[in-house]
Amino acid sequence: MGAIDNDWLPVLRPEFGKPYYRELYGKIAAEYRENTVFPPKEDIFNAFHFTPYSKVRVLILGQDPYHGPGQAHGLCFSVLPGAEIPPSLKNIYKELSDELGCRVPNNGYLKKWADQGVLLLNTVLTVRAHTPMSHRGLGWEQFTDAVIRAVDDIDRPVACLLWGRPAQEKRSLLRNPKHLVLTAAHPSPLSASRGFFGCGHFLQTNKYLEEQGLSPVDWQIEDI
């Protein structure tokens, strides 16, 4: 697995020495040897590489990575340039269009959000090809719980958007009164009409940031 080498390292270093993480590391290493697993090993921690701890001002929490080839690259809901936009992301773009009038781009590469301090995190960071949630229960949840607690410890305003049941189950980890916590259904076509469409999360996030004297997120993804 790729290493974390920015200011997330001192925050998360205690996790790396715990028995569950050593066990998780062994299981994931075996999965990569024996099966096709996404994202590529070097991309597992891209959410932390692209969004340093000191820059986090929004957390978007999803479930697990896309399970098709050429899609997942370590940022929840994002796909690499050239990949077809997945249905969940199409629904995110639809909601952005409805809320803020954002134009639907020709790609699903969300690094622009990460560069603005949006931590794009899944509750599970790897997946076996074509088998959604196949790495649930291996130990990633304990690691990402530590990440969520670290976000909760940030002593400045952070908006936390929890999409889907696995993400919503993390609500109890977010107790900081400075933070905004919003929950909604997952943007998947199976659930988007049951509470994601019309959730207003992007509008509420920008309003919250501006009320705290911070600049809003520019959610518009440009064409490539």
Side-chain angles (χ1 to χ4, degrees), residues 72-172:
H73 66 106
L75 305 182
C76 72
F77 298 109
S78 180
V79 292
L80 289 167
E84 184 177 353
I85 301 173
S88 292
L89 185 51
K90 288 181 180 178
N91 287 337
I92 291 171
Y93 285 160
K94 180 182 186 303
E95 181 63 20
L96 273 169
S97 177
D98 292 344
E99 287 186 38
L100 298 174
C102 290
R103 176 182 44 78
V104 176
N106 65 359
N107 68 94
Y109 191 50
L110 303 183
K111 186 174 180 290
K112 177 182 176 179
W113 296 358
D115 291 340
Q116 296 178 80
V118 180
L119 180 65
L120 295 165
L121 182 70
N122 280 310
T123 59
V124 175
L125 300 188
T126 55
V127 67
R128 192 179 297 178
H130 312 300
T131 314
M133 299 305 290
S134 50
H135 285 178
R136 178 171 52 187
L138 295 185
W140 278 127
E141 292 91 343
Q142 190 167 343
F143 178 76
T144 55
D145 281 0
V147 175
I148 295 165
R149 290 190 185 98
V151 170
D152 193 56
D153 287 341
I154 293 173
D155 189 28
R156 60 179 185 277
V158 179
C160 303
L161 315 184
L162 314 181
W163 296 344
R165 183 170 295 176
Q168 291 175 27
E169 290 173 350
K170 308 303 180 181
R171 176 66 182 85
S172 63

Side-chain angles (χ1 to χ4, degrees), residues 44-57:
I44 292 173
F45 293 131
N46 272 349
F48 308 104
H49 297 157
F50 295 160
T51 308
Y53 186 61
S54 60
K55 302 296 185 183
V56 174
R57 59 196 185 112

Side-chain angles (χ1 to χ4, degrees), residues 1-4 12-28 44-45 125 138-140 142-144:
M1 291 189 281
I4 296 174
L12 297 176
R13 183 182 282 119
E15 299 304 307
F16 300 142
K18 293 180 179 178
Y20 89 86
Y21 191 86
R22 293 195 293 269
E23 185 177 348
L24 168 66
Y25 188 96
K27 290 177 180 177
I28 296 301
I44 292 173
F45 293 131
L125 300 188
L138 295 185
W140 278 127
Q142 190 167 343
F143 178 76
T144 55

